Amino acid sequence: MNHITTTDLLENLKWRYATKQFDPAKTIAPEIWTALEDALVLTPSSYGLQPWKFLIITSSELREQLKPLSWNQSQVTDCSHYVVFAIKKNLTAEDVDRFMARTVELRGGTVEAMAGYRSLIVSDLVDGGRSFNINDWSTRQTYIALGNFMTSAALLGVDTCPMEGIEPVNYDRVLGLSAKGFTTVVACAAGYRSEADKYASLAKVRFPKSEILETL
C-alpha cells in the first residue's frame, strides 16, 4: 500500500477550513463522493457498534426546508452534498445482537462463540452505568465519523463545513427520523469553496504545540 507523505498530510490539513461560501455550480464527482461515503462506512467506533445513520440530502426541496432550521446558513443549499449525522436512540440488546450477527456473517464462526463479547457490551452499554447517558455515548461516536469524513474530504481536495448551528428536533421532524428510532446530532456540508469566500485565505488560529501538547 502506498501512503501519503507527512508533507502531503499537513498541507491538506492546512488547506482545509470551515467553508462559509460554497460554489453552487461545482459538484463533487461521483467517484470521489463514493469514496467519501465509503470513508464514512469505514469510520471506527467503540466496540465496533456503529450507532449511527448518515443521511445524504440530495433533494433541493428538503434542503430548502432545512435551511431555515440551520440559522439560514447558505451552505445547506449551496454545497454539493449535505450530510446529516444521526444516532440510533437508546441502544438495546437487540442492536448488539445485530452487530454480533454481522460479525459472524463477515468473519465466520458462531454467535454462540461470541457470547462473552456480547455480554461485555450489554453489561456496559445496556445494563451498566453508561446506559443512563447512552445517547451521549453514541453522539461522541458520531463525532468520530464527522472528523473522519472531514479529513478524508480534505485529502481528496473537497471542502467541508461542520454545522452544529441547526435545530436537531426540527431536522428529525422534516426527515422523519424519530419514527425510525434515530435523532439528528450534527450536519456537514461538502463541496467546493467559492472564490468569494474571504475565510479561505485567513490564517488558522491555533495555540502553539507547547501549550496543547504534553509528553509524559
Side-chain angles (χ1 to χ4, degrees), residues 53 55 57 62 65-66 86 89 168-184:
K53 182 179 286 290
L55 291 88
I57 313 300
L62 274 180
Q65 292 181 58
L66 294 175
K89 293 189 294 185
V169 172
N170 287 320
Y171 262 54
D172 292 351
R173 173 179 54 79
V174 170
L175 300 173
L177 284 174
S178 295
K180 300 174 183 176
F182 290 86
T183 188
T184 301

Side-chain angles (χ1 to χ4, degrees), residues 145-170:
L146 174 63
N148 186 48
F149 177 74
M150 293 171 60
T151 299
S152 298
L155 292 174
L156 293 174
V158 173
D159 289 300
T160 56
C161 182
M163 300 179 65
E164 285 189 311
I166 62 176
E167 300 174 17
V169 172
N170 287 320

Side-chain angles (χ1 to χ4, degrees), residues 15 22 34 45-46 79 83 90 111 117 137 142 146 204 206:
W15 170 85
F22 285 91
T34 296
S45 60
S46 184
C79 69
V83 186
N90 306 317
V111 171
Y117 189 44
W137 177 87
T142 302
L146 174 63
K204 284 191 180 299
R206 298 293 188 270

Side-chain angles (χ1 to χ4, degrees), residues 64-135:
E64 289 294 343
Q65 292 181 58
L66 294 175
K67 185 176 179 180
L69 307 177
S70 314
W71 301 359
N72 282 312
Q73 295 175 88
S74 63
Q75 294 98 315
V76 178
T77 50
D78 289 348
C79 69
S80 173
H81 290 67
Y82 192 60
V83 186
V84 175
F85 294 70
I87 61 166
K88 178 70 166 61
K89 293 189 294 185
N90 306 317
L91 288 177
T92 66
E94 286 71 27
D95 295 310
V96 178
D97 288 337
R98 179 170 172 265
F99 172 64
M100 294 293 113
R102 180 60 170 167
T103 301
V104 169
E105 177 186 349
L106 294 177
R107 295 181 175 179
T110 65
V111 171
E112 291 75 18
M114 299 187 67
Y117 189 44
R118 177 192 183 278
S119 178
L120 172 66
I121 298 174
V122 171
S123 64
D124 180 21
L125 302 180
V126 180
D127 299 330
R130 281 204 271 193
S131 65
F132 296 105
N133 60 353
I134 189 60
N135 290 338

